[in-house]
Amino acid sequence: MLLFFTLGLLIHFVFFASIFDIYFTSPLVHGMTPQFTPLPPPARRLVLFVADGLRADTLYELDENGTSRAPFIRNIIMHEGSWGISHTRVPTESRPGHVALIAGFYEDVSAVAKGWKENPVEFDSLFNESKYTWSWGSPDILPMFAKGASGDHVYTYSYDAKREDFGAQDATKLDTWVFDNVKDFFHHARNNQSLFSKINEEKIVFFLHLLGIDTNGHAHRPSSRDYKDNIKKVDDGVKEIVSMFNHFYGNDGKTTFIFTSDHGMTDWGSHGAGHPSETLTPLVTWGAGINYPQRVSAQQFDDSFLKEWRLENWKRLDVNQADIAPLMTSLIGVPFPLNSVGILPVDYLNNTDLFKAESMFTNAVQILEQFKVKMTQKKEVTLPFLFTPFKLLSDSKQFNILRKARSYIKHRKFDEVKPSHLLPCSFVAIGILVAFFLLIQACPWTYYVYGLLPVPIWYAVLREFQVVQDLVTSLLTYPLSHFVGYLLVFTLGIEILVLSFFYRYMLTAGLTAFAVWPFLTRLWTRAKVTSLSWAFFSVLLAVFPLMPVVGRKPDISLVMGAGLLVLLLSLCVVTSLRKRKDSFRKEELLVHLLQVLSTVLSMYVVYSTQSSLLRKQGLPLMNQIISWATLASSLFVPLLSSPAVFQRLFSILLSLMSTYLLLSTGYEAVFPLVLSCLMFVWINIEQETLQQSGVCCKQKLTSIQFSYNTDITQFRQLYLDDIRRAFFLVFFLVTAFFGTGNIASINSFDLASVYCFLTVFSPFMMGALMMWKILIPFVLVMCAFEAVQLTTQLSSKSLFLIVLVISDIMALHFFFLVKDYGSWLDIGTSISHYVIVMSMTIFLVFLNGLAQLLTTKKLRLCGKPKSHFM
């Protein structure tokens, strides 16, 4: 048994890890030859402004008074340069956005291995190809491009990461810091001959990363005065920097300016997905080599932005975000980034047709070089008879296309499977054949794991052929109609679980079916109150998946209401327990009062913190101390309570609710309370179903205690109804995950959830806190199921096997639905769905251990032993 258990864990671990090797291998290749335009470039230097998180509409539109929030930029559009919309690709996040702008390629899916924070594979960029690059801004962005640069010609100047504080009084200071440091840099250069000579070289880049707008957008939303005022301050800062550059270089006309953004932002202050507010970013260019404004009478676009922005008479030139990289390289005459897939937007160039044609030809050759390297790599590891070249770009066609293009430029035509002793030998032979086939193709070692792992699995299955045969025989004893009916219900249940990962309202459908279930059985006649309670709380819980995703409409009054409900429930429970003689000792009463006090303090902290942040006074220190103390005590205070099932479960609920209130911003604060009420009714209703089937006699919950040393002789065999119990567990676990939002998506998280604990940006700490918020409902379900196992004498090992089957069937769906393209919402969701299902059994072991610790362990406030009422 241990061997099969170990093998099962190994198999699931391999399947778990396989998607990252199959789907998330970097598409980047290396070994290309650098390509650059052979003609003199129009500019000696380039200045790149990136206003992080700036939406195109908020920049281009006029305010309520009919004036521009960015008058300097609007003046550029009308009198000096070219403008348009840069269409970003999902995921709309800072790292992939900046990589697309500066390196010319979109999201490298292998970045999932680095938590999406940096690119795990080295890549070429505009900064790397430049002679020198100086950059100022966020410590999260700048090091990424300096790290991969060849040599030490990329210089970075960053502020302290603690400045990126969502609770700060004035986030515009992040941008002011950049502008001030650039000015100081040029002032210092006048007195430093070495630096002065460097910044007077050609092929140099100055990069100003402006994070204030993004920070204000997250903290106050893009519709806020803070966000819009920040745009005005950025506009003023850009105006000053441009004036300084022109004065420093004596108005030599050899500087190109690019103003753009890495991504936009939704109305609720998030980004990462593909909403137009996230993917439409501004692009304004002016200076050396850039076309002047072009007046037009009419323009054809699929939107009405031009009229809304009152820019219908100035030609709008839209580009894809990766196209900006080849534009910048052609302007200063450096090689195109080797991994760039951007297409040069020639309409932005103010140069000769020859320069445009040569630049386009170089751009095409640079992209073709990537194709040739990738094809060579694939050809080297594939058997000759299995390799099929791409016919449209065969060697001969490549040659003809390039020859014709070069000819046009030259002539200035710019516009053209038995059980026996043979069984092991057979499988050994199969394994050798598979390995040999992979070896001659020079396949990676992971292919050997994928190809050979099914061999021992099917060998183990065929060795237990008699067990499989007995199972089939047992199933055939059921009437055909019953068997088909059970199979259809089971299949429907699995499909509802799968669909609930994509459509939250499927959880509502499932919970509604749960509410009706007792009335279709004899439970209604035996336990009317329990059945009605089950139906009521099932329907009540079914409301949550129909509500908006948490974070988009924060409402602290709902959090306060949830706290009051907890206090009211506590009063009812204490009153009920006090009526029972010797069932509620003074020590336990003290623990209960301590938990009530913790709930009151949590409510105060939530309200106080919200008020302080609205006044822009930051997070009060005392609130922060209380929040962390509440979190730290929530896991050991329940251990001081009585091990009686009801009292221990209620103590766990109170402790975890105190923490959950601190992590809530709206209606989700009520969710664990409703879920726990349904869990308590579930414990009672499972007792009724077991008594109804005649398996065991009903015990009162007040007489049942959690025990650390369980008598395994009391465990019974599995019954068909246990499959339903396991399905209920899986369904409640999925509901705990997705009941208030799609936690598989980064875009669903609201940083405001952790503001009672910290406001200074710390991705790992904030991520850990939000993960604990997600796990609290999960822990409540597992603690309740500990009671279900105890009251129904159900073996946790048997449960594990049933859940394993259910999760594996679900995993088959999600394995083929993993995406390696699209937004983080799409990619991250597809990964998370597969990871959640595949890790469910492993995760259950961990959470089962935590639930056992919370339910069975007993701590005492004093040293003398105490007896507990039975």
Side-chain angles (χ1 to χ4, degrees), residues 29-286:
V29 293
H30 301 85
M32 292 77 71
T33 304
Q35 305 290 326
F36 61 91
T37 306
L39 300 176
R44 292 176 58 87
R45 66 199 72 91
L46 180 139
V47 184
L48 173 62
F49 301 94
V50 177
D52 203 304
L54 176 59
R55 294 165 48 149
D57 57 348
T58 317
L59 176 72
Y60 291 142
E61 69 186 6
L62 303 178
D63 62 18
E64 55 274 10
N65 299 319
T67 59
S68 174
R69 300 186 182 94
F72 176 74
I73 296 296
R74 193 171 184 92
N75 181 71
I76 293 293
I77 294 173
M78 295 180 171
H79 301 102
E80 294 187 38
S82 296
W83 76 286
I85 291 178
S86 169
H87 295 261
T88 71
R89 282 196 191 177
V90 287
T92 47
E93 297 289 345
S94 292
R95 179 190 54 79
H98 281 86
V99 170
L101 283 169
I102 299 166
F105 67 88
Y106 298 104
E107 180 63 290
D108 181 352
V109 294
S110 67
V112 67
K114 291 286 186 177
W116 308 105
K117 273 300 182 183
E118 60 178 279
N119 214 81
V121 178
E122 290 187 3
F123 60 92
D124 192 23
S125 71
L126 166 70
F127 295 175
N128 185 46
E129 296 293 353
S130 69
K131 192 164 188 177
Y132 296 107
T133 292
W134 290 271
S135 55
W136 296 264
S138 169
D140 296 328
I141 298 298
L142 306 189
M144 175 169 55
F145 297 98
K147 179 181 177 181
S150 56
D152 55 353
H153 63 287
V154 179
Y155 305 97
T156 62
Y157 303 89
S158 303
Y159 39 74
D160 192 285
K162 292 182 180 179
R163 284 177 174 261
E164 300 176 12
D165 187 349
F166 296 112
Q169 186 172 2
D170 187 8
T172 60
K173 291 180 179 179
L174 298 176
D175 300 336
T176 304
W177 184 96
V178 172
F179 294 134
D180 289 346
N181 276 265
V182 174
K183 296 173 190 174
D184 292 344
F185 172 83
F186 277 90
H187 178 75
H188 175 67
R190 293 185 182 275
N191 304 311
N192 186 316
Q193 187 58 43
S194 175
L195 179 58
F196 186 84
S197 63
K198 286 181 178 179
I199 62 176
N200 277 281
E201 297 274 3
E202 60 181 12
K203 307 182 191 302
I204 60 175
V205 178
F206 300 92
F207 171 44
L208 285 71
H209 175 241
L210 309 169
L211 188 61
I213 294 174
D214 183 76
T215 306
N216 270 317
H218 285 304
H220 308 292
R221 309 301 187 251
S223 59
S224 67
R225 177 55 55 192
D226 305 78
Y227 184 88
K228 295 174 180 177
D229 287 348
N230 203 152
I231 296 175
K232 178 65 171 70
K233 291 190 177 183
V234 166
D235 184 70
D236 292 340
V238 171
K239 180 180 180 180
E240 293 177 9
I241 296 299
V242 171
S243 176
M244 183 202 68
F245 265 88
N246 291 335
H247 181 263
F248 186 90
Y249 289 106
N251 293 298
D252 64 354
K254 292 294 184 179
T255 308
T256 302
F257 299 94
I258 308 282
F259 181 88
T260 187
S261 175
D262 54 346
H263 56 74
M265 188 170 289
T266 62
D267 292 338
W268 54 91
S270 70
H271 53 82
H275 190 274
S277 62
E278 300 169 86
T279 61
L280 304 183
T281 59
L283 174 61
V284 182
T285 64
W286 68 100

Side-chain angles (χ1 to χ4, degrees), residues 490 719-728 802 806:
F490 180 76
Y719 292 89
L720 189 61
D721 209 33
D722 293 326
I723 298 177
R724 177 191 55 76
R725 293 185 177 93
F727 178 80
F728 274 19
I802 299 174
I806 295 174

Side-chain angles (χ1 to χ4, degrees), residues 467-501:
V467 175
V468 177
Q469 191 175 36
D470 292 342
L471 174 63
V472 173
T473 303
S474 175
L475 291 174
L476 291 176
T477 61
Y478 287 93
L480 182 61
S481 59
H482 288 189
F483 176 78
V484 173
Y486 290 144
L487 184 62
L488 288 175
V489 170
F490 180 76
T491 304
L492 179 62
I494 295 292
E495 294 305 318
I496 289 176
L497 279 174
V498 171
L499 288 172
S500 67
F501 278 61

Side-chain angles (χ1 to χ4, degrees), residues 128 222 236-237 302 308 499 522 549 586 605 654 668 748 767 829:
N128 185 46
D236 292 340
D302 294 332
E308 294 172 7
L499 288 172
R522 287 179 292 175
V549 173
K586 291 183 179 179
V605 168
L654 285 184
E668 83 272 19
S748 297
T829 298

